[in-house]
Amino acid sequence: MKDLINKLAEEHSLNLEEYEALISGRNEENTRLLREFAVKVRREIYGNDVYIRGLIEISNICRNDCLYCGIRKSNKNCERYRLTPDEIIECSNEGYELGFRTFVLQGGEDGYFTDEILGGIVKKIKDNHPDCAVTLSMGERSYGSYKFLRACGADRYLLRHETADSQHYSRLHPLAMSYDNRMKCLENLRSLGYQVGCGFMVGSPYQTVKNIAKDLKFIETFKPEMCGIGPFIPHKDTEFRNFPPGSAEMTCYLLSVIRLIYPPVLLPATTALGTVNPIGREMGIMSGANVVMPNLSPVKVRKKYELYDNKICTGEESAQCRNCLNERVSKIGYRIVTGRGDFRVPC
Ligand code: SAH
């Protein structure tokens, strides 16, 4: 196993069987070795810096019905909300005052957010704060739509691929959604010049070691600028309610692996990781993650954007989240930096 880890650290590539062996072979010793390599390369590129992104959850209205997700269309218990363009702009202004220079607009696939409306919001944020980056995470849209939003000033787009195995994809999604379209969206985003983020849930229902190996291979070949991985956490109003959550340990192990696969990748320690373990985000940073995404949504809607049960940070004001993370990050010897925190092109 040591040989495999050395090979990964040197060549940034393994074949599918090797990835499978690496995933199955997780133990304390391998975790430590991977983590040491991952922290070292992370330090070479990003030092002790941790980037922050202000997450604004703009709507929980969704036309999709992803089986794992708490805001899926068929969840009748979900109390729906949508922020107005003015409320979204207000969140970004508040975030700017708190030192945020990247705003992530995330939401369900809500038909209200046409290209004109969403593009107008992006433009406004960029006009107000030309030194900021805007990231969108609004699901699958057409090529033309992505193109328009890019022209409005959107810099980055997060669209997790969810799983790089089409059969597994179809067990997590309704028939109307397709793996091919998800992948096509990622290609389209890339061709339009976005910094692109893919990613997957760790421990999602029916996920096998082979599936994760494929996810890693996909990341190795696609080379995303950003990669969001977090544990799957069941939501009580979905049919996956009785599936066990993914573990913080496996998530951190994979964070180290992904750091070694593609050293410059922007890798968040996610809210889901902080939900399965009270110090999950700290563990993530110490495993190779270099981004945190505190919530900037108005407190009145936070509980309603419930993708999974017991999501953390739903009661705090934005400023409290910002301060809390500052403390957590500096306690473990890292520092939160303001600034856009763009992907650093490898030399
Ligand atoms: N509609 C957007 C945003 C989805 S929410 C889109 O399609 O991209 C962002 C991410 O949360 C999803 O990509 C998914 O990977 C994650 N997520 C959803 N439900 C989850 C759950 N039950 N546990 C953990 N993560 C979940």
Side-chain angles (χ1 to χ4, degrees), residues 85-106:
D86 283 346
E87 285 174 314
I88 298 167
I89 306 292
E90 181 48 42
C91 286
S92 68
N93 291 339
E94 196 184 326
Y96 191 86
E97 296 300 315
L98 292 170
F100 288 92
R101 294 296 177 268
T102 291
F103 302 108
V104 182
L105 310 189
Q106 188 180 84

Side-chain angles (χ1 to χ4, degrees), residues 149-263:
L149 295 167
R150 177 92 183 105
C152 290
D155 303 276
R156 310 181 187 138
Y157 206 102
L158 302 176
L159 186 76
R160 290 188 176 179
H161 64 286
E162 311 297 359
T163 168
D165 180 296
S166 63
Q167 279 183 350
H168 185 219
Y169 190 92
S170 62
R171 300 190 82 172
L172 299 179
H173 299 93
L175 269 178
M177 288 179 74
S178 92
Y179 170 79
D180 290 345
N181 193 53
R182 195 93 182 160
M183 289 301 185
K184 184 75 198 155
C185 284
L186 284 170
E187 292 296 342
N188 287 344
L189 289 162
R190 160 116 338 139
S191 73
L192 288 163
Y194 283 93
Q195 295 177 36
V196 183
C198 66
F200 62 95
M201 291 176 287
V202 177
S204 61
Y206 314 113
Q207 185 182 57
T208 62
V209 169
K210 275 197 162 62
N211 294 154
I212 303 177
K214 278 191 175 178
D215 289 319
L216 297 177
K217 199 63 185 173
F218 172 67
I219 291 163
E220 183 195 307
T221 45
F222 187 68
K223 295 191 170 28
E225 284 79 14
M226 304 161 287
C227 182
I229 68 160
F232 159 76
I233 303 172
H235 186 289
K236 58 184 179 320
D237 297 318
T238 64
E239 62 202 76
F240 288 160
R241 66 182 66 85
N242 293 324
F243 279 86
S247 78
E249 288 72 21
M250 182 55 103
T251 304
C252 290
Y253 190 75
L254 293 172
L255 284 171
S256 298
V257 173
I258 294 167
R259 171 64 62 207
L260 293 178
I261 290 175
Y262 193 40

Side-chain angles (χ1 to χ4, degrees), residues 62 64 66 68-71 106-109 137-140 158-160 162 182 199-201 230-235 272 305 307-308:
C62 193
N64 270 338
C66 306
Y68 44 84
C69 184
I71 65 168
Q106 188 180 84
E109 294 194 12
S137 178
M138 298 295 296
E140 297 175 24
L158 302 176
L159 186 76
R160 290 188 176 179
E162 311 297 359
R182 195 93 182 160
F200 62 95
M201 291 176 287
F232 159 76
I233 303 172
H235 186 289
Y305 197 79
L307 307 177
Y308 45 81

